């Protein structure tokens, strides 16, 4: 008769300590632990691998992309892009239709003097492992002259690529050709003003209906409106240091904000219109109340309490059985 009690206890204990769905969804705060990633400048939530975020260093780190597991903060795959030459200033990453990764080598540390910049496209790997993947390289020019930019988005339905330039007086949303061409220059043209912030990254919602553009200290949400963007609201962003990145989670319910630096944090906030309650709204900074004074996170606390209750119940049942013998 001991086996049924043991099985019951194991089942209840497993349920009590199971990883909550939100952790698997990749919408919890995490820290990028890879010592190679010291200038994370872009984030993109994987569509194929739940809880995985793609990132990269900026400047001339090399043609590398890193798949970071948000459950652990560890890098689970390093992709080396081939066929792209030597990147100059990689600043953005986005995932478009058919699980295609777009990488924006669009920064210009010379203040907007390079006559052209580049975009790289490659398929997101179905299996996460270190490998080299051939990418397609596209030359990009702007219709109104060279400029610095750190924000690139790909429309999830049309596959059209957009760039927001970086200007301390406000910039513009630039639209690329309907299809990028690997031969010749792809001319991007301004289609809407993005005033009142110095854009360091941007993200399109998975349904293609909303755009968020962030700066070092704030963000603005827009209705996409076919590219004729309409401002909805200002957003507070968590202060994480040099704020460089933002992406929607794969389900579109959260925005994940990141920063440069070693051991850089990535922190969630509810996406505009998601309808969720945002416990990290306002400044978004972490507090002791998130994990409690004993250092346990809320999820771990819940699991520990539930496990304790299960243990008490099992011991009580065993005691009752002994008394009946």
């Amino acid at each position: 008769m001991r086996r049924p009690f043991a099985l019951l206890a194991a089942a209840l204990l497993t349920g009590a300590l199971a990883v909550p769905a939100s952790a698997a969804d990749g919408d919890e705060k995490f820290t990028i632990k890879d010592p190679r990633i010291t200038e994370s400048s872009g984030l993109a939530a994987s569509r194929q691998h739940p809880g995985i975020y793609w990132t990269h260093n900026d400047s001339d780190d090399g043609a590398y992309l890193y798949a970071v597991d948000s459950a652990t903060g560890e890098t689970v795959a390093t992709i080396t892009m081939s066929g792209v030459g030597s990147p100059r200033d990689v600043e953005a990453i986005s995932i478009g239709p058919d699980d295609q990764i777009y990488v924006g080598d669009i920064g210009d540390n010379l203040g907007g003097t390079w006559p052209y910049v580049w975009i790289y496209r490659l398929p997101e790997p179905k299996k996460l492992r270190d490998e080299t993947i051939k990418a397609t390289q596209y030359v990009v020019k702007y219709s109104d002259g060279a400029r610095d930019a750190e924000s690139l988005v790909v429309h999830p339905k049309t596959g059209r690529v957009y760039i927001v330039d970086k200007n301390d007086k406000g910039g513009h949303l630039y639209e690329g050709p309907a299809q990028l061409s690997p031969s010749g220059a792809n001319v991007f043209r301004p289609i809407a003003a993005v005033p009142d912030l110095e854009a360091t990254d941007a993200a399109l919602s998975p349904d293609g209906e909303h755009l968020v553009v962030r700066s070092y200290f704030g963000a603005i949400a827009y209705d996409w409106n076919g590219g004729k963007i309409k401002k909805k609201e200002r957003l507070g962003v968590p202060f994480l240091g040099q704020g460089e990145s933002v992406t929607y989670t794969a389900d579109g319910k959260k925005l994940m904000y990141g920063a440069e630096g070693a051991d850089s944090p990535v922190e969630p906030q509810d996406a505009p219109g998601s309808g969720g309650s945002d416990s990290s709204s306002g400044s978004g900074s972490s507090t002791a109340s998130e994990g409690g004074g004993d250092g346990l996170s809320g999820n771990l606390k819940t699991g520990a309490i539930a496990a304790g209750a299960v243990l008490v119940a099992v011991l009580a049942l065993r005691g009752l059985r002994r008394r009946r013998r």
Side-chain angles (χ1 to χ4, degrees):
M1 291 297 292
R2 289 185 179 180
R3 181 167 294 179
F5 282 114
L7 291 175
L8 174 62
L12 291 174
L13 190 60
T14 300
L17 295 178
V19 176
S22 59
D25 292 340
D27 60 4
E28 297 287 323
K29 180 178 178 179
F30 67 96
T31 298
I32 298 174
K33 298 178 181 179
D34 192 328
R36 297 172 297 176
I37 306 173
T38 58
E39 295 182 300
S40 175
S41 191
L43 279 176
S46 171
R47 302 294 188 265
Q48 294 194 76
H49 309 288
I52 297 297
Y53 288 86
W54 292 97
T55 190
H56 53 83
N57 287 312
D58 74 3
S59 301
D60 54 355
D61 171 63
Y64 305 117
L65 302 178
Y66 305 96
V68 179
D69 185 349
S70 62
T72 63
E74 302 289 351
T75 298
V76 293
T78 301
I79 302 302
T80 302
M81 294 181 288
S82 65
V84 301
S86 298
R88 288 188 299 205
D89 193 354
V90 179
E91 292 286 356
I93 186 168
S94 182
I95 297 181
D98 302 320
D99 299 315
Q100 295 291 303
I101 298 176
Y102 291 75
V103 182
D105 189 358
I106 56 177
D108 189 340
N109 289 327
L110 298 179
T113 59
W114 287 330
Y116 59 85
V117 290
W118 298 302
I119 292 173
Y120 314 127
R121 178 179 60 83
L122 66 156
E124 182 180 17
K126 294 182 179 180
K127 294 184 179 181
L128 293 175
R129 61 176 183 265
D130 294 351
E131 62 177 313
T132 298
I133 298 178
K134 183 175 177 56
T136 302
Q137 177 170 305
Y138 303 101
V139 174
V140 170
K141 291 186 175 182
Y142 301 96
S143 63
D144 52 358
R147 59 203 55 252
D148 186 21
E150 297 186 3
S151 311
L152 175 147
V153 297
V154 183
H155 196 279
K157 296 180 180 179
T158 68
R160 199 160 195 161
V161 183
Y162 298 82
I163 292 172
V164 181
D165 66 327
K166 182 181 182 182
N167 190 308
D168 58 6
K169 298 178 181 179
H172 289 81
L173 176 69
Y174 285 78
E175 182 181 68
Q179 290 187 333
L180 297 178
S181 172
S183 60
N186 295 272
V187 179
F188 279 61
R189 306 179 187 279
I191 59 171
V194 183
D196 304 326
L197 88 175
E198 186 177 5
T200 61
D201 202 10
L204 264 171
S205 59
D207 61 6
E209 296 297 325
H210 306 286
L211 173 72
V212 170
V213 183
R214 76 158 299 172
S215 66
Y216 294 116
F217 304 111
I220 298 177
Y222 297 89
D223 286 326
W224 180 246
N225 193 35
K228 299 177 181 178
I229 55 176
K230 293 183 178 180
K231 182 178 176 180
K232 288 182 60 179
E233 59 184 302
R234 281 191 171 273
L235 305 175
V237 303
F239 180 72
L240 306 173
Q242 185 171 327
E244 289 277 351
S245 58
V246 64
T247 185
Y248 276 86
T249 53
D251 61 9
K253 294 181 179 180
K254 298 277 188 179
L255 289 165
M256 304 294 287
Y257 291 96
E260 284 195 3
D263 296 318
S264 59
V266 178
E267 191 165 307
Q269 288 193 358
D270 283 326
S274 65
S277 59
D278 188 1
S279 61
S280 60
S281 61
S283 67
S285 60
S286 301
T287 65
S289 63
E290 289 179 350
D294 56 7
L296 286 174
S297 71
N299 291 328
L300 286 176
K301 268 190 170 181
T302 301
I305 292 170
V310 169
L311 183 59
V312 170
V314 171
L315 291 175
L317 287 171
R318 283 182 175 176
L320 179 62
R321 181 173 175 270
R322 289 193 187 98
R323 288 196 296 272
R324 287 180 175 177
R325 283 180 177 175

